[in-house]
Amino acid sequence: MRYNDMNLLSCLLGKRCLEGPPPLDLEQSRLVADAWQGLDPHQMWDVHAHLAGVGDGGSGIWVHPRMQNLGHLSPLSMLMLRLYQRAGCTHLAPGRQDHAYWQRLESLVDAFPPGVKIILLAFDYFYREDGCCDPMAGTFYVPNEWARQLAAKRPDRFGWMASIHPYDPYWEKKLHLISQWQPGPLAIKWLPQSMGIQPDSARCFGFYQALAQLNLPLLTHCGDEKATHGDAPADWNAPSRLAMALDTGVRVIVAHCASLGGAKGKQDKMGYFGEFMTMMDNPRWKNLLFGDISATLLVNRRPEILPTLLSRVDLHPRLLYGSDYPLPAACFISVAQQLQRGLIHKKQAEILQQILPYNPLLFHFLLVRWLNYQGIGFSPQVFHTDRFFSPFKN
Ligand SMILES: [Zn+2]
């Protein structure tokens, strides 16, 4: 068994969903406190956190039946749902999972210094190219209203992003209505393959024009997607398909810096990530194209990705901190792997292992904050994501 497999196994079998502060000694507590030096918590927004549940709390959340019962004979999908339920600690609250997910998230963020905020993501249904909504071709749905409601409950800790499908015949009406809501959405969220969106299709052009007009950014998943199945082609997640959005003047955040996979048949070993970096270097999109660093630490990412992002200090003002919660709690990040690669040191690794079962959000923040490649860590600008949204704050 490889080192990473052992790490995964001990994470899966280990304790989780613990409450209260993690048991750290004085020196460990000092190291954690030092991680905030040079950062202003009031400027720190986690730009990528998912809302999950099963729709048992009036949230309107919908999950594909293949994830919930054996009738669909999809044990892998069911396993994925179990994994996310355990990550979000909702397995402890049968019958009230939607609220348990929210309560856990609220208590995790409340352990951060005042000012730190999380942006919750809504998630629209899959639509076919003929404009028909086809939920069964996707995986899940999180209503805009649920994300807005939660953000409104705790405006000191949460913001939200809406999700509207550009093939929805009513997209224009919805977009204009939602942009009037209070608190307003900070951006629009897409996952092209899982929602059935071809971002370079001419039918997205009007949507991009409306976004540019409303000054509403687009956060869109790029790179291979493993967590949520969708019937659309995988290469709809290619960053190069965003050229039209950018050329229409939309500010685009490429989720995960497109850090997984690549177009079939292409020789470039850096794949979609290489494509994203080439686009970042295109002066035409300097003020429009951004990347969120969530999921770049997952065990399935190429080892060159983090050193590249860390050492490109010139791009740090355009990289945005995100956790992709609940993934940090789902055992997809290996502290041992980062230690082996020399990106963190042993004392930090020990602290991270202690913190993970108590607070996976804090675990993720500290790990990202401590990453160090040849003396270079992520600049404070990467964490100070508030600046990206400040023109849109309510
Ligand atoms: Zn995500």
PDB file of all heavy atoms in Angstrom, residues 57-91:
ATOM      1  N   GLY A  57     -35.118  19.385   4.479  1.00  0.00           N
ATOM      2  CA  GLY A  57     -35.358  20.479   5.418  1.00  0.00           C
ATOM      3  C   GLY A  57     -36.041  21.665   4.766  1.00  0.00           C
ATOM      4  O   GLY A  57     -35.874  22.797   5.203  1.00  0.00           O
ATOM      5  N   GLY A  58     -36.812  21.421   3.719  1.00  0.00           N
ATOM      6  CA  GLY A  58     -37.491  22.531   3.050  1.00  0.00           C
ATOM      7  C   GLY A  58     -36.532  23.405   2.259  1.00  0.00           C
ATOM      8  O   GLY A  58     -36.873  24.523   1.873  1.00  0.00           O
ATOM      9  N   SER A  59     -35.338  22.909   2.012  1.00  0.00           N
ATOM     10  CA  SER A  59     -34.338  23.705   1.302  1.00  0.00           C
ATOM     11  C   SER A  59     -34.621  23.739  -0.190  1.00  0.00           C
ATOM     12  O   SER A  59     -34.181  24.648  -0.890  1.00  0.00           O
ATOM     13  CB  SER A  59     -32.950  23.093   1.524  1.00  0.00           C
ATOM     14  OG  SER A  59     -32.896  21.788   0.935  1.00  0.00           O
ATOM     15  N   GLY A  60     -35.301  22.723  -0.692  1.00  0.00           N
ATOM     16  CA  GLY A  60     -35.497  22.605  -2.145  1.00  0.00           C
ATOM     17  C   GLY A  60     -34.332  21.900  -2.825  1.00  0.00           C
ATOM     18  O   GLY A  60     -34.323  21.755  -4.047  1.00  0.00           O
ATOM     19  N   ILE A  61     -33.355  21.458  -2.059  1.00  0.00           N
ATOM     20  CA  ILE A  61     -32.218  20.727  -2.644  1.00  0.00           C
ATOM     21  C   ILE A  61     -32.732  19.413  -3.223  1.00  0.00           C
ATOM     22  O   ILE A  61     -33.599  18.755  -2.648  1.00  0.00           O
ATOM     23  CB  ILE A  61     -31.139  20.446  -1.562  1.00  0.00           C
ATOM     24  CG1 ILE A  61     -30.439  21.752  -1.170  1.00  0.00           C
ATOM     25  CG2 ILE A  61     -30.115  19.411  -2.058  1.00  0.00           C
ATOM     26  CD1 ILE A  61     -29.416  21.613  -0.060  1.00  0.00           C
ATOM     27  N   TRP A  62     -32.191  19.039  -4.385  1.00  0.00           N
ATOM     28  CA  TRP A  62     -32.559  17.780  -5.028  1.00  0.00           C
ATOM     29  C   TRP A  62     -31.283  16.989  -5.319  1.00  0.00           C
ATOM     30  O   TRP A  62     -30.290  17.559  -5.768  1.00  0.00           O
ATOM     31  CB  TRP A  62     -33.323  18.059  -6.325  1.00  0.00           C
ATOM     32  CG  TRP A  62     -33.630  16.821  -7.125  1.00  0.00           C
ATOM     33  CD1 TRP A  62     -34.700  16.009  -6.976  1.00  0.00           C
ATOM     34  CD2 TRP A  62     -32.846  16.266  -8.191  1.00  0.00           C
ATOM     35  NE1 TRP A  62     -34.634  14.971  -7.878  1.00  0.00           N
ATOM     36  CE2 TRP A  62     -33.511  15.108  -8.637  1.00  0.00           C
ATOM     37  CE3 TRP A  62     -31.635  16.632  -8.810  1.00  0.00           C
ATOM     38  CZ2 TRP A  62     -33.023  14.305  -9.675  1.00  0.00           C
ATOM     39  CZ3 TRP A  62     -31.152  15.844  -9.838  1.00  0.00           C
ATOM     40  CH2 TRP A  62     -31.844  14.692 -10.255  1.00  0.00           C
ATOM     41  N   VAL A  63     -31.335  15.693  -5.037  1.00  0.00           N
ATOM     42  CA  VAL A  63     -30.190  14.819  -5.321  1.00  0.00           C
ATOM     43  C   VAL A  63     -30.675  13.684  -6.206  1.00  0.00           C
ATOM     44  O   VAL A  63     -31.757  13.125  -5.978  1.00  0.00           O
ATOM     45  CB  VAL A  63     -29.599  14.240  -4.008  1.00  0.00           C
ATOM     46  CG1 VAL A  63     -28.409  13.339  -4.303  1.00  0.00           C
ATOM     47  CG2 VAL A  63     -29.174  15.359  -3.069  1.00  0.00           C
ATOM     48  N   HIS A  64     -29.923  13.343  -7.218  1.00  0.00           N
ATOM     49  CA  HIS A  64     -30.306  12.278  -8.154  1.00  0.00           C
ATOM     50  C   HIS A  64     -30.578  10.975  -7.393  1.00  0.00           C
ATOM     51  O   HIS A  64     -29.790  10.583  -6.531  1.00  0.00           O
ATOM     52  CB  HIS A  64     -29.172  12.049  -9.153  1.00  0.00           C
ATOM     53  CG  HIS A  64     -29.599  11.294 -10.369  1.00  0.00           C
ATOM     54  ND1 HIS A  64     -30.008   9.978 -10.316  1.00  0.00           N
ATOM     55  CD2 HIS A  64     -29.705  11.679 -11.666  1.00  0.00           C
ATOM     56  CE1 HIS A  64     -30.323   9.582 -11.540  1.00  0.00           C
ATOM     57  NE2 HIS A  64     -30.162  10.589 -12.376  1.00  0.00           N
ATOM     58  N   PRO A  65     -31.696  10.292  -7.740  1.00  0.00           N
ATOM     59  CA  PRO A  65     -32.036   9.059  -7.006  1.00  0.00           C
ATOM     60  C   PRO A  65     -30.952   7.979  -7.070  1.00  0.00           C
ATOM     61  O   PRO A  65     -30.863   7.159  -6.165  1.00  0.00           O
ATOM     62  CB  PRO A  65     -33.310   8.553  -7.699  1.00  0.00           C
ATOM     63  CG  PRO A  65     -33.732   9.593  -8.651  1.00  0.00           C
ATOM     64  CD  PRO A  65     -32.705  10.662  -8.730  1.00  0.00           C
ATOM     65  N   ARG A  66     -30.105   8.033  -8.120  1.00  0.00           N
ATOM     66  CA  ARG A  66     -29.067   6.992  -8.181  1.00  0.00           C
ATOM     67  C   ARG A  66     -28.090   7.106  -7.011  1.00  0.00           C
ATOM     68  O   ARG A  66     -27.398   6.162  -6.676  1.00  0.00           O
ATOM     69  CB  ARG A  66     -28.306   7.031  -9.511  1.00  0.00           C
ATOM     70  CG  ARG A  66     -27.316   8.134  -9.615  1.00  0.00           C
ATOM     71  CD  ARG A  66     -26.362   8.031 -10.791  1.00  0.00           C
ATOM     72  NE  ARG A  66     -25.725   9.319 -10.940  1.00  0.00           N
ATOM     73  CZ  ARG A  66     -26.094  10.245 -11.792  1.00  0.00           C
ATOM     74  NH1 ARG A  66     -27.035  10.003 -12.653  1.00  0.00           N
ATOM     75  NH2 ARG A  66     -25.513  11.419 -11.814  1.00  0.00           N
ATOM     76  N   MET A  67     -28.027   8.296  -6.390  1.00  0.00           N
ATOM     77  CA  MET A  67     -27.124   8.453  -5.250  1.00  0.00           C
ATOM     78  C   MET A  67     -27.777   7.974  -3.953  1.00  0.00           C
ATOM     79  O   MET A  67     -27.113   7.818  -2.945  1.00  0.00           O
ATOM     80  CB  MET A  67     -26.714   9.916  -5.079  1.00  0.00           C
ATOM     81  CG  MET A  67     -25.967  10.447  -6.279  1.00  0.00           C
ATOM     82  SD  MET A  67     -25.236  12.058  -5.988  1.00  0.00           S
ATOM     83  CE  MET A  67     -23.618  11.631  -5.366  1.00  0.00           C
ATOM     84  N   GLN A  68     -29.110   7.779  -4.014  1.00  0.00           N
ATOM     85  CA  GLN A  68     -29.808   7.503  -2.767  1.00  0.00           C
ATOM     86  C   GLN A  68     -30.367   6.102  -2.627  1.00  0.00           C
ATOM     87  O   GLN A  68     -30.660   5.662  -1.517  1.00  0.00           O
ATOM     88  CB  GLN A  68     -30.947   8.503  -2.576  1.00  0.00           C
ATOM     89  CG  GLN A  68     -30.443   9.922  -2.554  1.00  0.00           C
ATOM     90  CD  GLN A  68     -31.452  10.852  -1.947  1.00  0.00           C
ATOM     91  OE1 GLN A  68     -31.752  10.745  -0.776  1.00  0.00           O
ATOM     92  NE2 GLN A  68     -31.973  11.750  -2.757  1.00  0.00           N
ATOM     93  N   ASN A  69     -30.595   5.387  -3.754  1.00  0.00           N
ATOM     94  CA  ASN A  69     -31.119   4.042  -3.562  1.00  0.00           C
ATOM     95  C   ASN A  69     -30.552   3.035  -4.548  1.00  0.00           C
ATOM     96  O   ASN A  69     -30.096   3.374  -5.642  1.00  0.00           O
ATOM     97  CB  ASN A  69     -32.653   4.032  -3.555  1.00  0.00           C
ATOM     98  CG  ASN A  69     -33.210   4.279  -4.941  1.00  0.00           C
ATOM     99  OD1 ASN A  69     -32.865   3.588  -5.883  1.00  0.00           O
ATOM    100  ND2 ASN A  69     -34.061   5.281  -5.064  1.00  0.00           N
ATOM    101  N   LEU A  70     -30.616   1.797  -4.113  1.00  0.00           N
ATOM    102  CA  LEU A  70     -30.005   0.721  -4.876  1.00  0.00           C
ATOM    103  C   LEU A  70     -30.757   0.400  -6.162  1.00  0.00           C
ATOM    104  O   LEU A  70     -30.216  -0.239  -7.053  1.00  0.00           O
ATOM    105  CB  LEU A  70     -29.923  -0.542  -4.016  1.00  0.00           C
ATOM    106  CG  LEU A  70     -28.687  -0.629  -3.136  1.00  0.00           C
ATOM    107  CD1 LEU A  70     -28.827  -1.779  -2.164  1.00  0.00           C
ATOM    108  CD2 LEU A  70     -27.429  -0.796  -3.985  1.00  0.00           C
ATOM    109  N   GLY A  71     -31.993   0.861  -6.273  1.00  0.00           N
ATOM    110  CA  GLY A  71     -32.790   0.609  -7.464  1.00  0.00           C
ATOM    111  C   GLY A  71     -32.059   1.043  -8.729  1.00  0.00           C
ATOM    112  O   GLY A  71     -32.258   0.508  -9.806  1.00  0.00           O
ATOM    113  N   HIS A  72     -31.183   2.045  -8.583  1.00  0.00           N
ATOM    114  CA  HIS A  72     -30.450   2.533  -9.753  1.00  0.00           C
ATOM    115  C   HIS A  72     -29.141   1.789  -9.964  1.00  0.00           C
ATOM    116  O   HIS A  72     -28.410   2.084 -10.900  1.00  0.00           O
ATOM    117  CB  HIS A  72     -30.189   4.030  -9.617  1.00  0.00           C
ATOM    118  CG  HIS A  72     -31.387   4.839  -9.976  1.00  0.00           C
ATOM    119  ND1 HIS A  72     -31.516   5.498 -11.176  1.00  0.00           N
ATOM    120  CD2 HIS A  72     -32.531   5.066  -9.290  1.00  0.00           C
ATOM    121  CE1 HIS A  72     -32.679   6.111 -11.216  1.00  0.00           C
ATOM    122  NE2 HIS A  72     -33.324   5.866 -10.093  1.00  0.00           N
ATOM    123  N   LEU A  73     -28.849   0.854  -9.077  1.00  0.00           N
ATOM    124  CA  LEU A  73     -27.640   0.039  -9.191  1.00  0.00           C
ATOM    125  C   LEU A  73     -26.403   0.881  -9.489  1.00  0.00           C
ATOM    126  O   LEU A  73     -25.688   0.658 -10.454  1.00  0.00           O
ATOM    127  CB  LEU A  73     -27.824  -1.024 -10.286  1.00  0.00           C
ATOM    128  CG  LEU A  73     -28.826  -2.131  -9.941  1.00  0.00           C
ATOM    129  CD1 LEU A  73     -29.006  -3.085 -11.115  1.00  0.00           C
ATOM    130  CD2 LEU A  73     -28.380  -2.914  -8.706  1.00  0.00           C
ATOM    131  N   SER A  74     -26.209   1.890  -8.688  1.00  0.00           N
ATOM    132  CA  SER A  74     -25.024   2.731  -8.871  1.00  0.00           C
ATOM    133  C   SER A  74     -24.293   2.859  -7.535  1.00  0.00           C
ATOM    134  O   SER A  74     -24.312   3.913  -6.906  1.00  0.00           O
ATOM    135  CB  SER A  74     -25.431   4.102  -9.409  1.00  0.00           C
ATOM    136  OG  SER A  74     -24.293   4.877  -9.657  1.00  0.00           O
ATOM    137  N   PRO A  75     -23.649   1.761  -7.117  1.00  0.00           N
ATOM    138  CA  PRO A  75     -23.007   1.776  -5.804  1.00  0.00           C
ATOM    139  C   PRO A  75     -21.960   2.878  -5.668  1.00  0.00           C
ATOM    140  O   PRO A  75     -21.794   3.452  -4.593  1.00  0.00           O
ATOM    141  CB  PRO A  75     -22.355   0.385  -5.689  1.00  0.00           C
ATOM    142  CG  PRO A  75     -22.493  -0.272  -7.011  1.00  0.00           C
ATOM    143  CD  PRO A  75     -23.505   0.468  -7.811  1.00  0.00           C
ATOM    144  N   LEU A  76     -21.308   3.227  -6.797  1.00  0.00           N
ATOM    145  CA  LEU A  76     -20.279   4.264  -6.717  1.00  0.00           C
ATOM    146  C   LEU A  76     -20.907   5.621  -6.373  1.00  0.00           C
ATOM    147  O   LEU A  76     -20.395   6.365  -5.532  1.00  0.00           O
ATOM    148  CB  LEU A  76     -19.524   4.345  -8.055  1.00  0.00           C
ATOM    149  CG  LEU A  76     -18.255   5.191  -8.007  1.00  0.00           C
ATOM    150  CD1 LEU A  76     -17.213   4.562  -7.084  1.00  0.00           C
ATOM    151  CD2 LEU A  76     -17.674   5.379  -9.403  1.00  0.00           C
ATOM    152  N   SER A  77     -22.060   5.910  -7.012  1.00  0.00           N
ATOM    153  CA  SER A  77     -22.741   7.175  -6.715  1.00  0.00           C
ATOM    154  C   SER A  77     -23.202   7.207  -5.262  1.00  0.00           C
ATOM    155  O   SER A  77     -23.106   8.243  -4.586  1.00  0.00           O
ATOM    156  CB  SER A  77     -23.973   7.343  -7.601  1.00  0.00           C
ATOM    157  OG  SER A  77     -23.613   7.337  -8.936  1.00  0.00           O
ATOM    158  N   MET A  78     -23.701   6.057  -4.787  1.00  0.00           N
ATOM    159  CA  MET A  78     -24.161   6.007  -3.395  1.00  0.00           C
ATOM    160  C   MET A  78     -22.995   6.205  -2.434  1.00  0.00           C
ATOM    161  O   MET A  78     -23.108   6.888  -1.418  1.00  0.00           O
ATOM    162  CB  MET A  78     -24.845   4.671  -3.113  1.00  0.00           C
ATOM    163  CG  MET A  78     -26.212   4.584  -3.782  1.00  0.00           C
ATOM    164  SD  MET A  78     -27.021   3.052  -3.401  1.00  0.00           S
ATOM    165  CE  MET A  78     -27.251   3.189  -1.642  1.00  0.00           C
ATOM    166  N   LEU A  79     -21.859   5.619  -2.796  1.00  0.00           N
ATOM    167  CA  LEU A  79     -20.668   5.754  -1.965  1.00  0.00           C
ATOM    168  C   LEU A  79     -20.225   7.217  -1.902  1.00  0.00           C
ATOM    169  O   LEU A  79     -19.865   7.734  -0.839  1.00  0.00           O
ATOM    170  CB  LEU A  79     -19.551   4.874  -2.547  1.00  0.00           C
ATOM    171  CG  LEU A  79     -18.300   4.776  -1.692  1.00  0.00           C
ATOM    172  CD1 LEU A  79     -18.564   3.888  -0.480  1.00  0.00           C
ATOM    173  CD2 LEU A  79     -17.135   4.204  -2.508  1.00  0.00           C
ATOM    174  N   MET A  80     -20.291   7.887  -3.073  1.00  0.00           N
ATOM    175  CA  MET A  80     -19.904   9.305  -3.116  1.00  0.00           C
ATOM    176  C   MET A  80     -20.795  10.109  -2.183  1.00  0.00           C
ATOM    177  O   MET A  80     -20.317  10.952  -1.427  1.00  0.00           O
ATOM    178  CB  MET A  80     -20.051   9.866  -4.537  1.00  0.00           C
ATOM    179  CG  MET A  80     -19.025   9.369  -5.520  1.00  0.00           C
ATOM    180  SD  MET A  80     -17.341   9.813  -5.069  1.00  0.00           S
ATOM    181  CE  MET A  80     -17.180  11.400  -5.836  1.00  0.00           C
ATOM    182  N   LEU A  81     -22.114   9.843  -2.236  1.00  0.00           N
ATOM    183  CA  LEU A  81     -23.029  10.595  -1.374  1.00  0.00           C
ATOM    184  C   LEU A  81     -22.685  10.348   0.102  1.00  0.00           C
ATOM    185  O   LEU A  81     -22.635  11.284   0.895  1.00  0.00           O
ATOM    186  CB  LEU A  81     -24.492  10.226  -1.656  1.00  0.00           C
ATOM    187  CG  LEU A  81     -25.507  11.022  -0.836  1.00  0.00           C
ATOM    188  CD1 LEU A  81     -25.497  12.504  -1.216  1.00  0.00           C
ATOM    189  CD2 LEU A  81     -26.927  10.481  -0.984  1.00  0.00           C
ATOM    190  N   ARG A  82     -22.427   9.096   0.447  1.00  0.00           N
ATOM    191  CA  ARG A  82     -22.060   8.778   1.839  1.00  0.00           C
ATOM    192  C   ARG A  82     -20.812   9.552   2.255  1.00  0.00           C
ATOM    193  O   ARG A  82     -20.709  10.067   3.357  1.00  0.00           O
ATOM    194  CB  ARG A  82     -21.792   7.282   2.021  1.00  0.00           C
ATOM    195  CG  ARG A  82     -22.959   6.361   1.780  1.00  0.00           C
ATOM    196  CD  ARG A  82     -24.089   6.563   2.814  1.00  0.00           C
ATOM    197  NE  ARG A  82     -25.263   5.807   2.455  1.00  0.00           N
ATOM    198  CZ  ARG A  82     -26.183   6.219   1.565  1.00  0.00           C
ATOM    199  NH1 ARG A  82     -26.077   7.390   0.972  1.00  0.00           N
ATOM    200  NH2 ARG A  82     -27.226   5.465   1.286  1.00  0.00           N
ATOM    201  N   LEU A  83     -19.854   9.602   1.328  1.00  0.00           N
ATOM    202  CA  LEU A  83     -18.590  10.287   1.615  1.00  0.00           C
ATOM    203  C   LEU A  83     -18.842  11.777   1.897  1.00  0.00           C
ATOM    204  O   LEU A  83     -18.305  12.354   2.844  1.00  0.00           O
ATOM    205  CB  LEU A  83     -17.676  10.123   0.392  1.00  0.00           C
ATOM    206  CG  LEU A  83     -16.190  10.169   0.645  1.00  0.00           C
ATOM    207  CD1 LEU A  83     -15.746   9.033   1.547  1.00  0.00           C
ATOM    208  CD2 LEU A  83     -15.426  10.090  -0.692  1.00  0.00           C
ATOM    209  N   TYR A  84     -19.698  12.393   1.077  1.00  0.00           N
ATOM    210  CA  TYR A  84     -20.003  13.808   1.285  1.00  0.00           C
ATOM    211  C   TYR A  84     -20.829  14.014   2.554  1.00  0.00           C
ATOM    212  O   TYR A  84     -20.670  15.016   3.249  1.00  0.00           O
ATOM    213  CB  TYR A  84     -20.733  14.401   0.076  1.00  0.00           C
ATOM    214  CG  TYR A  84     -19.896  14.369  -1.173  1.00  0.00           C
ATOM    215  CD1 TYR A  84     -20.416  13.970  -2.380  1.00  0.00           C
ATOM    216  CD2 TYR A  84     -18.552  14.727  -1.129  1.00  0.00           C
ATOM    217  CE1 TYR A  84     -19.631  13.921  -3.522  1.00  0.00           C
ATOM    218  CE2 TYR A  84     -17.761  14.674  -2.246  1.00  0.00           C
ATOM    219  CZ  TYR A  84     -18.299  14.269  -3.441  1.00  0.00           C
ATOM    220  OH  TYR A  84     -17.523  14.221  -4.568  1.00  0.00           O
ATOM    221  N   GLN A  85     -21.710  13.054   2.847  1.00  0.00           N
ATOM    222  CA  GLN A  85     -22.510  13.186   4.070  1.00  0.00           C
ATOM    223  C   GLN A  85     -21.601  13.139   5.291  1.00  0.00           C
ATOM    224  O   GLN A  85     -21.755  13.906   6.232  1.00  0.00           O
ATOM    225  CB  GLN A  85     -23.557  12.068   4.137  1.00  0.00           C
ATOM    226  CG  GLN A  85     -24.728  12.327   3.201  1.00  0.00           C
ATOM    227  CD  GLN A  85     -25.665  11.145   3.067  1.00  0.00           C
ATOM    228  OE1 GLN A  85     -25.223   9.988   3.094  1.00  0.00           O
ATOM    229  NE2 GLN A  85     -26.944  11.409   2.915  1.00  0.00           N
ATOM    230  N   ARG A  86     -20.624  12.241   5.247  1.00  0.00           N
ATOM    231  CA  ARG A  86     -19.681  12.156   6.358  1.00  0.00           C
ATOM    232  C   ARG A  86     -18.808  13.409   6.429  1.00  0.00           C
ATOM    233  O   ARG A  86     -18.484  13.897   7.502  1.00  0.00           O
ATOM    234  CB  ARG A  86     -18.823  10.901   6.242  1.00  0.00           C
ATOM    235  CG  ARG A  86     -19.577   9.625   6.666  1.00  0.00           C
ATOM    236  CD  ARG A  86     -18.789   8.385   6.316  1.00  0.00           C
ATOM    237  NE  ARG A  86     -17.496   8.306   6.977  1.00  0.00           N
ATOM    238  CZ  ARG A  86     -17.295   7.848   8.206  1.00  0.00           C
ATOM    239  NH1 ARG A  86     -18.311   7.446   8.921  1.00  0.00           N
ATOM    240  NH2 ARG A  86     -16.092   7.802   8.719  1.00  0.00           N
ATOM    241  N   ALA A  87     -18.434  13.934   5.263  1.00  0.00           N
ATOM    242  CA  ALA A  87     -17.605  15.145   5.236  1.00  0.00           C
ATOM    243  C   ALA A  87     -18.369  16.327   5.829  1.00  0.00           C
ATOM    244  O   ALA A  87     -17.824  17.119   6.592  1.00  0.00           O
ATOM    245  CB  ALA A  87     -17.171  15.456   3.813  1.00  0.00           C
ATOM    246  N   GLY A  88     -19.652  16.433   5.487  1.00  0.00           N
ATOM    247  CA  GLY A  88     -20.468  17.543   5.993  1.00  0.00           C
ATOM    248  C   GLY A  88     -21.112  17.233   7.334  1.00  0.00           C
ATOM    249  O   GLY A  88     -21.857  18.048   7.871  1.00  0.00           O
ATOM    250  N   CYS A  89     -20.841  16.033   7.867  1.00  0.00           N
ATOM    251  CA  CYS A  89     -21.338  15.585   9.174  1.00  0.00           C
ATOM    252  C   CYS A  89     -22.849  15.443   9.210  1.00  0.00           C
ATOM    253  O   CYS A  89     -23.452  15.481  10.287  1.00  0.00           O
ATOM    254  CB  CYS A  89     -20.877  16.525  10.294  1.00  0.00           C
ATOM    255  SG  CYS A  89     -19.098  16.637  10.379  1.00  0.00           S
ATOM    256  N   THR A  90     -23.467  15.259   8.054  1.00  0.00           N
ATOM    257  CA  THR A  90     -24.926  15.149   8.048  1.00  0.00           C
ATOM    258  C   THR A  90     -25.385  13.710   8.324  1.00  0.00           C
ATOM    259  O   THR A  90     -26.557  13.482   8.593  1.00  0.00           O
ATOM    260  CB  THR A  90     -25.520  15.603   6.696  1.00  0.00           C
ATOM    261  OG1 THR A  90     -24.993  14.748   5.672  1.00  0.00           O
ATOM    262  CG2 THR A  90     -25.147  17.024   6.378  1.00  0.00           C
ATOM    263  N   HIS A  91     -24.446  12.774   8.244  1.00  0.00           N
ATOM    264  CA  HIS A  91     -24.817  11.374   8.517  1.00  0.00           C
ATOM    265  C   HIS A  91     -25.247  11.189   9.974  1.00  0.00           C
ATOM    266  O   HIS A  91     -25.875  10.203  10.317  1.00  0.00           O
ATOM    267  CB  HIS A  91     -23.639  10.433   8.199  1.00  0.00           C
ATOM    268  CG  HIS A  91     -22.416  10.675   9.037  1.00  0.00           C
ATOM    269  ND1 HIS A  91     -21.729  11.877   9.006  1.00  0.00           N
ATOM    270  CD2 HIS A  91     -21.770   9.896   9.928  1.00  0.00           C
ATOM    271  CE1 HIS A  91     -20.709  11.804   9.847  1.00  0.00           C
ATOM    272  NE2 HIS A  91     -20.707  10.619  10.413  1.00  0.00           N
TER     273      HIS A  91
END
